[in-house]
Amino acid sequence: MDTGRAAHAADETTSAPASIPARVPAPTADPGLPEAPAAPAALAPRTDPLPFTPGTLLWDMTGDIRVLLYLPAALVLQVAHPAVGAGVDEHSVFRTDPWGRARRSLDSLQLWVYGGDRAVEEGRRLRRLHRDIKGTDTRGRPYHALNPAPYAWVHATGFPVFLRAAEYLFRPFDEAGERRLHAEARRLGRILGIRERDMPGSVEEFRTYFDTVVREELERTVVVEELLDARRPVPPPDGSGAALRLLWPVLRPALLRLQVFVTKGLLPPLARERLDIPWTPRDERRLRLLGRVVRTVVPRLPERVRYLPAAYAARRAARP
C-alpha cells in the first residue's frame, strides 16, 4: 500500500540508470594454472529481476494515457482490503494533497516499467517507506504494510484491472495474451520485492486466489466510500491557471462523475457484488460506448500525447 505521507518524504530518492549485465558462466578452476583475476563487476551474473523493455505488454499499456482511466479501479480494489484500507486511511495524505499523492503514485508506477535498472531500486524504496506503517484494521486485527498478504494483494489488483481495461479500452486478450500478461505481472512483483510463493503461479491459480480474497477479505472501507463519492471535495490541480480555478466548480462534478462511473465499470463483477456497488445494463451499455470512443481516438493521437512523459521518453530512448 503505497501511502502518501511516506512517499512524499522520499520523492527525491532515485538512482542513476545502468546497463544490464549479461549472464556469463563461471570459469572452471585449473589447479595447474595461476588463479585468474576476478571478473569485472559488469560481467557478474545478474540477480535482480530484469527491467521491462519494448515488446512487453506492460511497456505498451502502462504509459498509455488510458492508465488514468483504469488505475482508480485498482486503487479501489486495494483499499477494499481491511489492512490496506486502514493503512491508507491513517497514513496517507490523499485527502489533504490529492493531486500530489496521485502524481507521486503515477511517477512510481512509471518507474517500475520504464525506469530500467532504477525500477528495482524504486521497489526497494517503497518497501523502506512502508516499514513503519502499521496499526489495527476495521476487524480489530493488527496489520503491517509489509505483511506478505496485504502487500501482495496491492500488486495483485493490477492483473484483473489490466484485463478489464483491455476488454473495454484497448483490445481484449485471448488466452495466450492473458498468460503472457500474468507472467509479466509476476515479473513486476519480483521487481517490487514480492516473494515467488506469495504470487499465484498461473492464471488458474490467480483466479482462485482472487475470488477467495474478494469473498473472504474485501469490504466497503471508509476509503472505498470516499473514492466512489462523486461529490467529494477535490481542489483544482496543483499549478492551475486562473481560468481553470474559475471554472473548477463547474468542471469538478462532471469529471468526478465520469471518474467514478469508469471506476465502477472496470471493477471485476465479483468485486462490485462484494462491495455492494450497483451496476445496471444501461451502465454497461454506456461504458462500452465510451470504450469504443476511447479505442478509436487514443491510438490516433501523436505518441507524445498518447503516452505519459516518462513512457514517451523511454520509448524514444529505446529506439535504434
Side-chain angles (χ1 to χ4, degrees), residues 142-297:
Y143 73 83
H144 190 286
L146 292 180
N147 283 350
Y151 200 74
W153 171 252
V154 170
H155 161 258
T157 59
F159 178 61
V161 170
F162 267 118
L163 292 179
R164 298 282 290 174
E167 179 181 352
Y168 289 89
L169 307 176
F170 293 84
R171 261 187 329 189
F173 287 110
D174 58 14
E175 181 180 346
E178 285 192 18
R179 297 187 185 281
R180 181 180 168 194
L181 180 65
H182 182 260
E184 291 188 16
R186 283 175 52 85
R187 178 175 167 186
L188 180 59
R190 290 191 290 272
I191 287 175
L192 297 178
I194 299 172
R195 301 175 303 187
E196 291 280 350
R197 65 176 179 268
D198 293 326
M199 295 184 288
S202 66
V203 172
E204 291 76 15
E205 289 178 16
F206 182 90
R207 289 174 181 147
T208 300
Y209 158 79
F210 182 80
D211 290 358
T212 300
V213 174
V214 169
R215 295 184 188 280
E216 297 182 2
E217 286 289 338
L218 298 199
E219 61 184 44
R220 195 166 172 128
T221 63
V222 171
V223 184
V224 169
E225 291 281 2
E226 292 185 48
L227 294 180
L228 295 181
D229 183 3
R231 298 167 298 176
R232 68 184 186 273
V234 176
D238 301 337
S240 298
L244 181 56
R245 290 198 304 271
L246 182 64
L247 292 173
W248 188 246
V250 177
L251 295 175
R252 180 183 61 81
L255 292 174
L256 281 179
R257 283 197 299 269
L258 175 63
Q259 183 254 310
V260 170
F261 170 73
V262 175
T263 298
K264 291 178 177 179
L266 294 183
L267 287 171
L270 182 64
R272 280 203 305 258
E273 178 184 346
R274 173 68 178 175
L275 300 177
D276 194 24
I277 297 172
W279 189 254
T280 66
R282 180 173 179 267
D283 291 331
E284 182 68 17
R285 291 193 297 271
R286 291 169 61 205
L287 181 62
R288 291 197 176 274
L289 176 60
L290 175 64
R292 285 198 294 273
V293 173
V294 170
R295 289 196 307 270
T296 301
V297 172

Side-chain angles (χ1 to χ4, degrees), residues 1-9 83-96 101 104 129-136 143-145 223:
M1 77 195 72
D2 183 10
T3 55
R5 183 173 298 132
H8 181 67
V84 183
V88 171
D89 184 30
E90 296 170 5
H91 297 274
S92 178
V93 297
F94 80 98
R95 297 183 180 98
T96 56
R101 183 69 204 93
R104 290 187 291 274
L129 293 177
H130 288 80
R131 284 175 182 167
D132 298 325
I133 297 177
K134 56 187 175 182
T136 304
Y143 73 83
H144 190 286
V223 184

Side-chain angles (χ1 to χ4, degrees), residues 57-68:
L57 297 173
L58 293 185
W59 181 272
D60 286 333
M61 290 183 68
T62 309
D64 189 293
I65 58 172
R66 285 170 278 193
V67 71
L68 303 176

Side-chain angles (χ1 to χ4, degrees), residues 52-113:
F52 285 93
T53 55
T56 56
L57 297 173
L58 293 185
W59 181 272
D60 286 333
M61 290 183 68
T62 309
D64 189 293
I65 58 172
R66 285 170 278 193
V67 71
L68 303 176
L69 290 174
Y70 64 79
L71 197 59
L75 180 58
V76 167
L77 282 178
Q78 291 167 15
V79 299
H81 191 289
V84 183
V88 171
D89 184 30
E90 296 170 5
H91 297 274
S92 178
V93 297
F94 80 98
R95 297 183 180 98
T96 56
D97 184 22
W99 294 103
R101 183 69 204 93
R103 184 185 66 254
R104 290 187 291 274
S105 291
L106 198 58
D107 288 347
S108 182
L109 172 62
Q110 298 299 294
L111 267 178
W112 304 349
V113 176

